[in-house]
Amino acid sequence: MTTLFTQSTEPCPMVDFVNLVSGKWAIPILYRLIVVDDAIRFGALQRAVAPITQKELTKQLRAFESIGLVTRAMYPEMPPRVEYQVTELGKTLKPTLDSLAQWMREHREELSAPL
């Protein structure tokens, strides 16, 4: 008889995923970049995921950039223009995030805590 739960030395992939997208704003930022699927200016992204602070958005975008989910392009204009875009690797998260969004739409009213 086989058991459903086996001992494994492999770390839990969900722990790694949660660490990757941890933080209140991580998933909304990433999802917005995926849905837009084009370069987006910092200010437009900040308005799209409001009420995020400039500091928090900068921090999260830098984290995504450092792991290869987002690219940053800076243009030497006055005022300086900075645009962000999801990478091909980041786009692979679309089905997963679409699924989470759909689950939320379907079950929002069933959840105990007000959202």
Side-chain angles (χ1 to χ4, degrees), residues 17-28:
F17 181 75
V18 168
N19 287 332
L20 183 74
V21 294
S22 63
K24 176 179 179 179
W25 298 105
I27 291 176

Side-chain angles (χ1 to χ4, degrees), residues 98-113:
D98 282 343
S99 174
L100 290 171
Q102 185 58 37
W103 184 90
M104 193 67 218
R105 285 183 201 102
E106 291 174 6
H107 300 286
R108 181 184 312 261
E109 292 179 12
E110 297 172 50
L111 298 171
S112 300

Side-chain angles (χ1 to χ4, degrees), residues 30-43:
L30 194 54
Y31 196 57
R32 175 58 58 177
L33 288 166
I34 289 169
V35 168
V36 168
D37 195 20
D38 199 4
I40 185 171
R41 292 183 75 165
F42 184 91

Side-chain angles (χ1 to χ4, degrees), residues 10-115:
E10 176 188 1
C12 177
M14 293 310 290
V15 171
D16 292 338
F17 181 75
V18 168
N19 287 332
L20 183 74
V21 294
S22 63
K24 176 179 179 179
W25 298 105
I27 291 176
I29 293 166
L30 194 54
Y31 196 57
R32 175 58 58 177
L33 288 166
I34 289 169
V35 168
V36 168
D37 195 20
D38 199 4
I40 185 171
R41 292 183 75 165
F42 184 91
L45 183 57
Q46 185 176 14
R47 286 187 296 278
V49 293
I52 191 171
T53 64
Q54 181 177 346
K55 179 180 177 181
E56 186 60 34
L57 180 56
T58 299
K59 176 183 161 191
Q60 193 62 65
L61 286 168
R62 285 183 181 158
F64 285 151
E65 187 180 11
S66 73
I67 59 175
L69 295 178
V70 170
T71 59
R72 176 182 188 261
M74 189 168 153
Y75 301 92
E77 302 171 352
M78 283 315 241
R81 177 171 51 115
V82 179
E83 294 179 340
Y84 295 88
Q85 189 165 6
V86 68
T87 63
E88 290 303 314
L89 176 61
K91 289 177 187 180
T92 64
L93 285 166
K94 186 177 186 326
T96 301
L97 297 180
D98 282 343
S99 174
L100 290 171
Q102 185 58 37
W103 184 90
M104 193 67 218
R105 285 183 201 102
E106 291 174 6
H107 300 286
R108 181 184 312 261
E109 292 179 12
E110 297 172 50
L111 298 171
S112 300
L115 300 174

